[in-house]
Amino acid sequence: MAEKITSADDLKIYDDNKNLRIFAGPGAGKTHLLIENIKNIIKHSKRLKKNNERKILCITYTNAAVEEINKRLGSYSKYVVVSTIHSFINEFIINPYQKQLKLFIKEKFCIDIPQNVKITSRQEGFSVLSGHKKEDVYEFIKKEMPTLLESDYNTLSRSKMCEVKLDISDINKYPFNQEADIQISHKNISKELATIIKKYIWGVAGKIDFDEILYFGMALIEEYPIILYMLRAEFPYILMDEYQDTNPIQNRILDLISENEVSVMVVGDIAQSIFSFQGATYQEFKNFQLKSKKAIITKDIEGNRRSTQNIIHLTNFIRQKVDSEFRQECIKNINNNEKVTFLIQKNKSCFAKPLKELILPETRIICRKWSEAFNYIEDVTDEQKKLINNLYNAYTYTAHRDLSQEIEAQREDWIISTLDIAKLEESFRTKNIPKTLKILEKYLDIQDIFKDFERNKLKKLQSLLKHLEQIFTQDLDNKNIRDVIGNANQNLLLIDGIDVIEQFKYPNTNDENYFDAVYEHVDELTYACAKKIVLELFSDNSRYMTVHKSKGREFDSVLVNLEPFSSRTSSEKDFKPEEIFTSQKAIIENNPTYEEYLRIAYVACSRAINKLYIHLHGDESIALKIKKTLDTYYNVENNICPFYEFVYC
């Protein structure tokens, strides 16, 4: 039995005689534990004080978590490198050891990388061929292999060539198999041609993909002892957050670095492992081992400082199916007795009354897939909802980019133009002339309108407002965003006495990030739908998100939707959301797909602080089954009052 601790405990990692594995459920305060123990290492460690160049390495899962930890460390952050695993490998292995990387690539894949080319990670949101035309790659192929028929490659799209990458799936499995073979993938392309394309990507574009970062990071520290020596010398302490989301390669990297004097602490939660599609497995955390001779001490952080006891009752019920040994109790949010609400929707096509009348206004809607989130958006047709889903999938699977990140970074013309026109429309309709002019500064030469009043300047302003009226007094919502942008540009050109600096842009086939499969859907977007995508659906403060996007966050009120989940092991059985609450044990024993479904449900429900809604389709019979199962489970154990309610909608 693991020792119980609180998030404020000093685990004395600086004693240097142990490694630590910490189980931390949702709301347990694991970030606080990490912060406080990093500070204690800095205060007490003799190894850090001997050499001011040595630092603590803290690996976490997302860039948002990196920012949060650095912020909370304050002045202590100068003694710590806080990073994601990919950024760490890039900064401390790939970038400084280019010579070794190129030598390894030559020996392993028979590809010679020029000395003047620096190999770096592709930027998130961009492909490995961003800035390179497909015709440039064709020319390279022709020079490298003149005997190859042009018909074998001159129809390859840039996105297809970007798919030529190292296949690490065989080695990135649990348990780790060091002998697994690594090959350059070449789906529907000859091995010869794939190798030439990869030579261009590595040797001309100088880019490696995210999976390749992991592989090369591991390979270099295995192959070159000097790299391991330097890492161990620089980082005597390694703390890793969200360890349940690590994959076998990441675990192997930690194992290699942690030999000898390095002290390690890993923090995670088996029940929150939901990234199996990225190769992550909770088994690495559950069966955590290191080659280090130090003992691994296991501890549990007690309690949940986030959710109400009623919410915790429900999450404990879900959790016992995948991790029966770990339970939580409310230790902070003890005064709120709001019940968990099961929203039972009888008519699958619509709610009996508007959703806003059923849930609190600030409720965040968390779904397993984006396609389900679209169903909650008001004032968008079913056809447009389907189009949004197709667009999202095209970005994900064809362009290998995340639409939400594209919007956040404002990297594409249609996104930038939609945002600017939407802001312009709002300011014009509210008659906020200064704000309207401020937005238009980017597009029109209107600086002199802000200066001293003159009659001709008034005429310019009147002409400008007249043409804005031409844009915004018509019904824009049902027009395609492409046509709205075109119409806006025509009206800008007609404004008397004001020069156009820049037009609203829309993608064309010459753009470096142009993908036919993406823009065939963008072309069909209505202005109303495009606005909702950029302003509501994928914004930072959006009320809609997937479970994976919600990970690590918390919200006062949450509605959870868990659509039916298709089994990978049996085409005859789809897991339905209500089965989570109508069976006391796992529906199919030792079924990894169902176990992940449970963990996804657990993560989603545990985001709620004060109010939790579970949205299900069904009738009174579903409610009776849920009631029977939950009452049996809790009445037998604790004789507690019902912590839930049913609302039919």
Side-chain angles (χ1 to χ4, degrees):
M1 183 67 70
E3 178 190 348
K4 302 292 183 182
I5 60 171
T6 72
S7 61
D9 285 356
D10 180 0
L11 302 180
K12 299 184 178 179
I13 306 169
Y14 47 82
D15 282 350
D16 302 330
N17 61 353
K18 61 183 178 291
N19 294 315
L20 290 159
R21 175 178 61 168
I22 311 298
F23 288 96
K30 63 181 176 60
T31 304
H32 182 73
L33 182 84
L34 280 168
I35 299 295
E36 292 309 305
N37 277 276
I38 286 172
K39 291 178 180 178
N40 286 328
I41 294 171
I42 294 167
K43 291 174 185 175
H44 302 293
S45 172
K46 294 178 181 177
R47 282 196 279 170
L48 284 184
K49 289 176 181 177
K50 283 181 180 177
N51 188 336
N52 291 332
E53 296 301 315
R54 306 186 88 182
K55 292 190 175 184
I56 299 165
L57 174 62
C58 179
I59 300 291
T60 190
Y61 199 76
T62 65
N63 289 322
V66 170
E67 291 176 11
E68 177 65 18
I69 290 172
N70 272 323
K71 179 181 175 183
R72 289 169 66 171
L73 278 171
S75 61
Y76 288 91
S77 62
K78 63 184 177 182
Y79 303 103
V80 189
V81 170
V82 186
S83 175
T84 63
I85 186 68
H86 288 86
S87 295
F88 163 70
I89 293 171
N90 215 34
E91 183 177 354
F92 292 95
I93 302 176
I94 300 295
N95 287 345
Y97 298 104
Q98 291 278 304
K99 183 177 179 181
Q100 289 84 350
L101 174 60
K102 292 173 184 176
L103 183 59
F104 178 80
I105 289 174
K106 184 175 183 178
E107 292 175 350
K108 178 72 176 177
F109 302 104
C110 300
I111 292 177
D112 208 347
I113 309 295
Q115 188 176 352
N116 65 331
V117 172
K118 182 178 181 180
I119 302 175
T120 60
S121 165
R122 74 171 174 89
Q123 187 179 345
E124 196 165 354
F126 291 86
S127 76
V128 289
L129 285 175
S130 286
H132 296 260
K133 297 178 181 178
K134 61 184 179 182
E135 290 78 15
D136 297 336
V137 188
Y138 295 164
E139 282 299 313
F140 183 81
I141 294 169
K142 193 173 181 179
K143 288 179 183 177
E144 286 289 313
M145 198 174 178
T147 57
L148 194 65
L149 295 175
E150 288 193 26
S151 59
D152 289 335
Y153 60 81
N154 64 7
T155 58
L156 285 175
S157 65
R158 201 171 57 160
S159 60
K160 188 68 178 176
M161 291 189 283
C162 289
E163 290 176 5
V164 176
K165 59 184 73 174
L166 293 186
D167 181 0
I168 67 169
S169 56
D170 284 343
I171 198 171
N172 202 27
K173 288 180 180 176
Y174 182 86
F176 180 78
N177 178 13
Q178 193 172 0
E179 304 304 318
D181 195 21
I182 301 294
Q183 298 286 341
I184 296 172
S185 64
H186 49 94
K187 296 176 185 176
N188 304 319
I189 302 175
S190 70
K191 185 176 180 180
E192 239 175 0
L193 178 55
T195 302
I196 297 172
I197 292 171
K198 201 66 204 173
K199 184 173 182 179
Y200 184 94
I201 292 170
W202 285 344
V204 179
K207 298 297 180 186
I208 53 177
D209 222 320
F210 295 131
D211 280 353
E212 295 170 349
I213 292 173
L214 293 178
Y215 172 70
F216 285 133
M218 177 191 70
L220 290 180
I221 60 178
E222 283 182 329
E223 208 58 33
Y224 302 102
I226 183 62
I227 301 177
L228 263 183
Y229 173 81
M230 296 300 290
L231 290 173
R232 289 169 181 163
E234 188 161 4
F235 301 111
Y237 300 97
I238 302 177
L239 286 71
M240 290 190 73
D241 192 13
E242 304 287 2
Y243 204 76
Q244 76 281 346
D245 292 325
T246 58
N247 59 44
I249 289 182
Q250 293 167 355
N251 192 64
R252 173 68 174 167
I253 291 170
L254 178 64
D255 195 13
L256 288 165
I257 298 174
S258 66
E259 284 189 65
N260 302 331
E261 293 186 5
V262 177
S263 296
V264 171
M265 181 176 87
V266 297
V267 184
D269 182 12
I270 288 171
Q272 294 191 71
S273 177
I274 60 172
F275 288 92
S276 64
F277 62 91
Q278 294 180 353
T281 170
Y282 69 88
Q283 298 286 357
E284 293 288 3
F285 184 55
K286 183 178 180 180
N287 303 313
F288 182 63
Q289 291 181 333
L290 295 171
K291 287 183 178 179
S292 170
K293 294 178 182 178
K294 298 176 183 178
I296 296 175
I297 309 299
T298 298
K299 298 178 185 290
D300 290 345
I301 305 180
E302 281 193 302
N304 183 318
R305 304 172 62 85
R306 172 190 301 155
S307 303
T308 67
Q309 186 61 60
N310 284 342
I311 293 171
I312 294 169
H313 282 321
L314 188 74
T315 54
N316 278 342
F317 172 79
I318 299 171
R319 186 180 185 118
Q320 51 92 23
K321 301 181 185 184
V322 290
D323 181 21
S324 59
E325 296 179 3
F326 192 98
R327 296 174 65 83
Q328 287 190 307
E329 295 295 330
C330 177
I331 61 171
K332 186 177 180 182
N333 195 359
I334 57 176
N335 295 321
N336 189 320
N337 296 314
E338 190 78 31
K339 290 184 177 182
V340 173
T341 299
F342 286 93
L343 291 174
I344 310 294
Q345 184 180 345
K346 292 185 174 183
N347 185 341
K348 282 194 174 182
S349 61
C350 64
F351 288 103
K353 59 170 98 172
L355 183 62
K356 62 185 177 183
E357 296 180 19
L358 298 168
I359 62 177
L360 294 172
E362 70 274 16
T363 300
R364 299 297 177 108
I365 296 172
I366 300 178
C367 303
R368 193 174 68 82
K369 293 168 60 177
W370 274 117
S371 56
E372 290 303 302
F374 303 150
N375 291 329
Y376 293 94
I377 303 171
E378 298 175 341
D379 306 322
V380 174
T381 65
D382 290 342
E383 183 182 345
Q384 287 287 297
K385 287 176 183 177
K386 184 178 179 181
L387 185 64
I388 300 172
N389 190 46
N390 290 340
L391 177 63
Y392 186 85
N393 288 337
Y395 268 98
T396 303
Y397 302 114
T398 303
H400 303 292
R401 287 144 61 188
D402 187 324
L403 178 56
S404 59
Q405 291 177 357
E406 296 299 301
I407 290 168
E408 182 183 350
Q410 297 183 29
R411 270 191 283 257
E412 293 210 73
D413 291 342
W414 76 270
I415 293 169
I416 298 167
S417 296
T418 300
L419 278 167
D420 286 348
I421 290 176
K423 291 174 185 175
L424 193 60
E425 179 190 21
E426 181 191 13
S427 64
F428 179 78
R429 292 196 191 282
T430 57
K431 296 182 170 42
N432 189 335
I433 303 302
K435 186 176 180 182
T436 301
L437 295 175
K438 191 68 180 173
I439 296 167
L440 284 171
E441 275 186 297
K442 175 179 173 182
Y443 298 95
L444 299 172
D445 185 12
I446 55 175
Q447 286 302 313
D448 62 340
I449 293 180
F450 293 100
K451 296 176 183 175
D452 296 336
F453 175 80
E454 291 178 15
R455 187 177 182 83
N456 69 321
K457 291 178 184 177
L458 179 59
K459 287 182 179 179
K460 289 181 182 181
L461 181 59
Q462 288 172 333
S463 177
L464 185 153
L465 294 176
K466 173 187 171 184
H467 286 286
L468 288 180
E469 190 172 2
Q470 292 292 322
I471 299 172
F472 295 120
T473 54
Q474 56 185 300
D475 178 19
L476 295 181
D477 283 354
N478 294 318
K479 291 182 179 291
N480 287 348
I481 183 62
R482 177 192 60 234
D483 296 336
V484 170
I485 291 171
N487 180 53
N489 284 329
Q490 288 176 9
N491 276 282
L492 290 186
L493 291 169
L494 295 173
I495 299 171
D496 295 331
I498 300 179
D499 293 330
V500 175
I501 300 172
E502 182 179 315
Q503 291 191 316
F504 295 105
K505 294 180 181 177
Y506 191 78
N508 61 66
T509 54
N510 295 321
D511 292 342
E512 68 172 42
N513 288 317
Y514 186 90
F515 289 95
D516 291 336
V518 168
Y519 293 113
E520 68 175 323
H521 302 302
V522 178
D523 285 346
E524 298 301 318
L525 282 177
T526 64
Y527 173 65
C529 192
K531 267 200 307 185
K532 284 191 176 291
I533 289 174
V534 299
L535 294 177
E536 292 183 35
L537 191 59
F538 296 112
S539 64
D540 281 344
N541 60 349
S542 173
R543 66 182 304 207
Y544 313 102
M545 63 188 65
T546 62
V547 180
H548 292 89
K549 281 284 184 184
S550 73
K551 186 90 179 325
R553 302 176 69 180
E554 58 182 37
F555 309 100
D556 189 73
S557 178
V558 168
L559 182 149
V560 173
N561 176 292
L562 297 161
E563 64 168 34
F565 193 99
S566 298
S567 171
R568 300 172 194 165
T569 57
S570 170
S571 59
E572 299 175 358
K573 177 71 178 177
D574 282 354
F575 307 127
K576 298 178 181 178
E578 63 266 23
E579 291 177 311
I580 296 170
F581 311 104
T582 58
S583 171
Q584 196 161 323
K585 294 184 179 178
I587 296 167
I588 299 176
E589 297 293 339
N590 301 316
N591 186 311
T593 307
Y594 180 64
E595 287 181 7
E596 176 130 325
Y597 189 33
L598 290 171
R599 293 196 297 271
I600 286 171
Y602 181 75
V603 169
C605 293
S606 62
R607 300 308 93 200
I609 299 172
N610 288 311
K611 181 64 183 179
L612 174 63
Y613 302 90
I614 309 292
H615 180 202
L616 303 172
H617 291 101
D619 53 25
E620 287 83 358
S621 64
I622 294 293
L624 286 172
K625 288 179 182 178
I626 293 172
K627 176 175 170 48
K628 181 179 178 181
T629 305
L630 294 180
D631 286 356
T632 300
Y633 178 72
Y634 274 108
N635 287 342
V636 169
E637 285 200 352
N638 301 316
N639 194 29
I640 65 170
C641 296
F643 56 90
Y644 58 88
E645 63 182 2
F646 298 100
V647 171
Y648 299 97
C649 57

